[in-house]
Amino acid sequence: MNLSGDIIIIEDDQEDRDILQELLEEVLEKNNYDNKIVLIPDSTAVLDYLRSTKDSPFLIISDINMPKLDGFKLRQQIFEDQDLNDKCIPYVFLTTSGDNVDFMKKAYGLSIQGYFTKPNDFTEYQSLLSDIVRYWKVAKIANRVGYPY
């Protein structure tokens, strides 16, 4: 995992994407993190982006309910792509689906690293994002060939 790598946001809804970007930028600035935020509104473009980027991203934050390719199918495709899977990029869902037990079971069955509900309160939302980023900043991860990031 590249601690200063990009934070990939996969969100099809413009308003949700704008809010998420604004709050995440504040979290990064407040904590002096130098990660770049990459917004990808069309989930079908994610694989091409991940395959073409030279650096390993720091974190993927994905919505679940998206047209064309939902978050579950996208995660499955990343998981099945050996080169992408070997990068061990933390993948978390950030969704409005709430406490949907079937969604949670399906998500964790795809080896995601987190399932979070989008808070309605901006302060809570920012706190959640801060907790997610801070956790991955201190977590220890080795890629599939054993080299720590």
Side-chain angles (χ1 to χ4, degrees), residues 84-145:
L84 295 178
N85 194 27
D86 284 350
K87 291 182 179 185
C88 294
I89 307 162
Y91 193 104
V92 300
F93 281 124
L94 184 60
T95 181
T96 57
S97 296
D99 296 334
N100 185 321
V101 174
D102 291 332
F103 272 26
M104 285 188 266
K105 286 181 181 179
K106 186 173 183 176
Y108 283 105
L110 294 169
S111 296
I112 62 155
Q113 287 75 39
Y115 183 103
F116 303 94
T117 302
K118 295 174 185 173
N120 291 323
D121 178 81
F122 285 114
T123 303
E124 288 178 27
Y125 202 167
Q126 189 175 47
S127 179
L128 173 64
L129 293 172
S130 182
D131 290 345
I132 292 169
V133 173
R134 185 175 36 243
Y135 174 86
W136 288 107
K137 287 286 186 176
V138 298
K140 301 295 182 203
I141 291 184
N143 66 11
R144 295 265 187 229
V145 293

Side-chain angles (χ1 to χ4, degrees), residues 21-116:
Q21 179 181 11
E22 179 182 334
L23 294 174
L24 191 53
E25 284 173 350
E26 290 173 11
V27 166
L28 296 176
E29 183 178 333
K30 180 179 179 182
N31 292 287
N32 294 316
Y33 296 145
D34 59 352
N35 304 82
K36 183 177 103 180
I37 299 170
V38 175
L39 302 169
I40 304 178
D42 182 351
S43 56
T44 62
V46 173
L47 291 176
D48 288 338
Y49 175 82
L50 292 174
R51 289 178 183 135
S52 67
T53 186
K54 291 182 173 57
D55 294 323
S56 182
F58 168 64
L59 176 66
I60 296 173
I61 300 175
S62 175
D63 190 15
I64 293 176
N65 300 310
M66 296 180 285
K68 298 180 190 174
L69 183 66
D70 69 35
F72 295 126
K73 291 177 186 168
L74 174 60
R75 174 59 182 150
Q76 184 68 38
Q77 289 179 6
I78 292 171
F79 191 71
E80 291 173 351
D81 183 305
Q82 194 61 54
D83 290 333
L84 295 178
N85 194 27
D86 284 350
K87 291 182 179 185
C88 294
I89 307 162
Y91 193 104
V92 300
F93 281 124
L94 184 60
T95 181
T96 57
S97 296
D99 296 334
N100 185 321
V101 174
D102 291 332
F103 272 26
M104 285 188 266
K105 286 181 181 179
K106 186 173 183 176
Y108 283 105
L110 294 169
S111 296
I112 62 155
Q113 287 75 39
Y115 183 103
F116 303 94

